[in-house]
Amino acid sequence: MSSTIVESVLEVAEPVGRAEGVNVVDVELAGAAGSLVLKVYIDKDGGVTVEDCARVSSQLGLVLEAEETIK
């Protein structure tokens, strides 16, 4: 099940990352049931800033919620 979630998130995260000027490097679902953490790793030439992380997190959160990618 977690690989399905990771694949679904990756499909959504890549275009969000491109729109925000970063590359999505990896998506990971970590933790145990009831306390799962979704990690999205990003990179760009010159390095990633806190602002990049905040923009991607915000936009990705909106898209994931709208598309109900994660229950």
Side-chain angles (χ1 to χ4, degrees), residues 20-50:
E20 294 300 330
V22 301
N23 297 313
V24 174
V25 177
D26 196 14
V27 174
E28 178 183 349
L29 193 60
S35 63
L36 292 174
V37 176
L38 179 65
K39 299 178 181 182
V40 178
Y41 298 92
I42 60 174
D43 195 15
K44 72 175 185 182
D45 289 341
V48 174
T49 66
V50 172

Side-chain angles (χ1 to χ4, degrees), residues 44-68:
K44 72 175 185 182
D45 289 341
V48 174
T49 66
V50 172
E51 289 81 14
D52 293 325
C53 294
R55 281 195 322 272
V56 171
S57 177
S58 177
Q59 292 304 312
L60 185 55
L62 291 172
V63 174
L64 291 174
E65 186 175 324
E67 293 187 6
E68 297 181 357

Side-chain angles (χ1 to χ4, degrees), residues 4-16:
T4 304
I5 293 171
V6 169
E7 291 169 4
S8 297
V9 170
L10 188 57
E11 285 181 22
V12 173
E14 287 178 333
V16 169

